[in-house]
Amino acid sequence: MSWEKFTKHYLTLPELDFALDISRIDFGDGFLAEMEPKMQEAYKAMADLEAGAIANPDENRMVGHYWLRDASLAPEPELTTEIEKCLADIRQIATKVHSGELAGAKGKFKNCLVIGIGGSALGPQFVADALGNPDRDKMQLHFFDNTDPDGIDRTLATLDGELGETLAVVISKSGGTPETRNGMLEAQAAYKSAGVDFAKHAIAITGAGSKLDKVAESEGWLTRLPMWDWVGGRTSELAAVGLLPAALQGLKIDRMLAGAAAMDAATRSTETTKNPAALLALMWYYATEGKGAKDMVVLPYKDRLMLFSKYLQQLVMESLGKEFDLDGNTVNQGIAVYGNKGSTDQHAYVQQLREGVHNFFVTFIEVLKDREGDSIEVEDGITTGDFLQGFYLGTRDALYENGRQSITITISEVTAEAVGQLIALFERAVGFYASLVNINAYHQPGVEAGKKAAASVLGIESKIISLLREKAGERLNTVTIAQHLGLESQTEIIFKLLNRLAANQRGIIAEDKFSTPETQFYYE
């Protein structure tokens, strides 16, 4: 690696305290020029998107998450008004909660239970962990982010005796997402068991007229905030989805929005070498051969950014993981994302990254500021932060020496502005990359297919329970049950359902647990 190459491909944005280094991606001298026509098309597509073009023909909707941090960009004045009103409502709710004007059955709210799934949980969790401080936070955030009963119980255990001081925020655009609906029902049951009126402790973030909207209105919940159809879940952190929990926690949401708006401005540049989102997308394209041939390993060297890789998993993989391109061709696009944090990964999978299968590129995130205040010296003239940077630089060079390529993003410190910048940077990079490979980044037919399949499985479960009740006392094996139901093609699914029903004492008994599938018998 030469100094000349580094300085040539090191982009710095002083006004943002931000830098991007792409010098350790081994693209040739002519690559950027060769890609420029496609990149100009991507800029045009992005400009159309921000202007209100229909970007998701499956649902005939616009995609407007960029308007959230600059409402004046919205293509209709009514949308500008709605965005500004929502922000004002969020600030007002947070003020009333923090002052105690809006309180729970047992006093001032000190906890917030966020009930959501996917982007309705990953974004708020990432931001809460990145910017929170238990000693200064005005509320403690807790999450129902799955339909796992044990996980729900673990969260409720942390709130034992405090539900009367816990504000619940239920997030679902349609109100029909099973995981969120289940979490809401579990929360309602827990509040009722504690003698607390859930409705007087609940806020809904949902689409106008949705199932959840109607439930919240009919039950008299505290209030409702909008979840617009032009904001996808994975790009909703800077909508009410993420801003209300952050504001309740006491985080500086205006600064986060300002950081995102500043990065948006920088990434609207059509001069590719000065546009960090364009350069990111181009490096992804080069590193993965434009078809997801390699994974993206995200390694932030800061504990506060540990959840960033999980957040990016959804943003990148749900946006780019598509079977068909815009012309209907089968392309099976996508970039797999995984990661944790440095230097933890020095002792985990860096060994394979350096010497094992070469199926990845790395995105390092370097944070310059170590901590508030001075650090002790753990060796002569050396602090713990010095070690952290040493591990980052050493790992980066050790990987590159062995042909493993990387990108580095540098920020000054983990602030609300910087978090907003990172969110906006990757949102636009995803959009640019999608244009480069000719796919729609803003729909998710695979997710919908999974939901339909899950509903089908639950339908089979109901039939199994009905059959065994009808034949109470009879010993039946999986094959016989499948034959009775006329579902021979679903015999394996039936076997799995039966074992779980038996394990949870749902009125079904399994003889000789964990015997072979052929010899396992069941009865009610």
Side-chain angles (χ1 to χ4, degrees):
M1 173 56 59
S2 68
W3 173 252
E4 290 74 19
K5 183 179 180 184
F6 169 70
T7 55
K8 181 179 180 180
H9 297 300
Y10 183 82
L11 171 64
T12 181
L13 301 176
E15 67 278 14
L16 301 185
D17 288 339
F18 173 93
L20 174 68
D21 173 17
I22 60 171
S23 64
R24 282 171 172 75
I25 298 289
D26 291 332
F27 56 93
D29 292 339
F31 174 71
L32 294 181
E34 176 188 331
M35 295 297 295
E36 188 61 19
K38 279 192 171 186
M39 206 60 243
Q40 290 298 324
E41 290 178 9
Y43 296 140
K44 174 63 168 58
M46 185 63 71
D48 291 344
L49 182 85
E50 289 196 282
I54 297 298
N56 192 339
D58 292 357
E59 301 172 8
N60 192 36
R61 63 177 174 86
M62 302 179 290
V63 172
H65 47 274
Y66 298 107
W67 313 330
L68 297 170
R69 43 265 199 177
D70 186 351
S72 67
L73 294 174
E76 301 165 8
E78 295 81 7
L79 293 179
T80 299
T81 301
E82 286 182 30
I83 295 167
E84 291 174 343
K85 181 182 184 303
C86 182
L87 278 172
D89 288 346
I90 288 168
R91 296 186 188 104
Q92 184 180 56
I93 291 166
T95 298
K96 287 183 175 181
V97 168
H98 296 158
S99 69
E101 180 182 346
L102 189 63
K106 296 187 178 179
K108 188 175 179 179
F109 286 123
K110 66 179 183 180
N111 304 304
C112 177
L113 174 61
V114 180
I115 303 172
I117 190 76
S120 299
L122 287 167
Q125 286 170 330
F126 159 56
V127 169
D129 191 52
L131 299 176
N133 187 319
D135 295 331
R136 296 197 297 263
D137 290 348
K138 294 184 177 180
M139 295 180 74
Q140 298 300 310
L141 265 57
H142 306 262
F143 292 86
F144 283 180
D145 63 351
N146 200 359
T147 188
D148 176 10
D150 182 55
I152 290 170
D153 288 346
R154 290 178 68 188
T155 300
L156 288 174
T158 67
L159 296 169
D160 187 33
E162 297 183 358
L163 290 179
E165 304 162 280
T166 300
L167 178 66
V169 178
V170 184
I171 307 170
S172 175
K173 186 181 293 186
S174 68
T177 305
E179 296 94 334
T180 305
R181 180 207 61 202
N182 294 352
M184 178 190 73
L185 294 174
E186 290 269 7
Q188 287 177 323
Y191 276 73
K192 183 177 180 180
S193 179
V196 177
D197 184 351
F198 179 79
K200 301 305 179 186
H201 296 70
I203 293 174
I205 300 177
T206 188
S210 73
K211 294 178 182 178
L212 176 58
D213 192 43
K214 293 174 182 176
V215 167
E217 182 179 25
S218 66
E219 294 182 357
W221 291 19
L222 293 173
T223 192
R224 293 164 286 154
L225 291 173
M227 197 169 181
W228 299 290
D229 65 357
W230 42 266
V231 178
R234 57 191 175 278
T235 55
S236 65
E237 174 52 30
L238 298 180
V241 168
L243 294 181
L244 179 62
L248 290 169
Q249 189 178 354
L251 307 182
K252 306 299 184 183
I253 63 171
D254 290 326
R255 290 172 51 190
M256 192 158 59
L257 288 167
M263 182 59 75
D264 283 343
T267 55
R268 287 190 188 102
S269 171
T270 57
E271 189 174 348
T272 299
T273 57
K274 294 183 179 180
N275 186 321
L279 292 175
L280 268 185
L282 287 165
M283 294 308 99
W284 297 354
Y285 188 93
Y286 181 84
T288 70
E289 301 172 17
K291 54 186 179 183
K294 291 187 177 177
D295 303 338
M296 185 195 310
V297 180
V298 179
L299 289 179
Y301 275 68
K302 201 68 172 177
D303 286 4
R304 286 186 177 274
L305 298 179
M306 181 179 68
L307 296 181
F308 192 46
S309 61
K310 288 182 66 177
Y311 170 78
L312 289 180
Q313 275 182 342
Q314 182 182 20
L315 175 64
V316 175
M317 295 177 72
E318 191 169 36
S319 298
L320 302 182
K322 302 296 160 62
E323 183 176 4
F324 302 107
D325 68 11
L326 293 174
D327 300 319
N329 301 310
T330 301
V331 290
N332 298 116
Q333 273 287 355
I335 300 175
V337 178
Y338 64 94
N340 184 14
K341 64 180 180 181
S343 67
T344 298
D345 292 319
Q346 313 289 131
H347 306 278
Y349 49 71
V350 166
Q351 167 64 32
Q352 177 170 313
L353 296 186
R354 188 174 193 276
E355 298 184 3
V357 59
H358 188 185
N359 63 346
F360 69 93
F361 67 100
V362 178
T363 298
F364 290 105
I365 302 178
E366 176 190 27
V367 181
L368 299 179
K369 186 171 181 178
D370 292 339
R371 58 156 46 113
E372 294 294 336
D374 297 329
S375 293
I376 65 167
E377 295 182 0
V378 292
E379 292 184 10
D380 189 22
I382 304 296
T383 69
T384 49
D386 296 332
F387 266 103
L388 188 65
Q389 187 184 42
F391 284 131
Y392 147 61
L393 292 172
T395 299
R396 183 192 62 161
D397 287 349
L399 291 175
Y400 192 64
E401 288 168 2
N402 228 26
R404 274 60 171 162
Q405 300 175 60
S406 66
I407 299 162
T408 293
I409 293 168
T410 301
I411 60 175
S412 179
E413 58 182 308
V414 181
T415 61
E417 290 89 348
V419 167
Q421 289 170 18
L422 288 173
I423 290 170
L425 173 68
F426 279 87
E427 283 179 349
R428 198 172 297 261
V430 162
F432 283 152
Y433 182 87
S435 292
L436 293 177
V437 298
N438 194 38
I439 60 169
N440 186 346
Y442 307 108
H443 68 162
Q444 50 280 334
V447 176
E448 300 307 316
K451 291 179 180 178
K452 291 177 182 177
S456 174
V457 168
L458 292 174
I460 294 173
E461 179 177 291
S462 296
K463 292 178 181 179
I464 291 170
I465 294 170
S466 295
L467 176 69
L468 290 178
R469 283 176 181 166
E470 178 187 329
K471 298 184 176 295
E474 289 188 39
R475 295 170 66 253
L476 302 172
N477 65 19
T478 306
V479 172
T480 303
I481 292 170
Q483 289 171 344
H484 277 300
L485 295 176
L487 294 172
E488 289 88 342
S489 64
Q490 301 295 325
T491 305
E492 180 187 350
I493 294 291
I494 291 170
F495 172 74
K496 302 289 285 185
L497 291 169
L498 284 163
N499 283 332
R500 194 189 142 276
L501 288 168
N504 286 278
Q505 300 177 341
R506 297 278 294 279
I508 294 174
I509 297 172
E511 289 184 356
D512 302 324
K513 295 178 183 176
F514 285 96
S515 60
T516 64
E518 298 91 341
T519 60
Q520 185 84 64
F521 281 84
Y522 308 88
Y523 58 91
E524 186 182 55

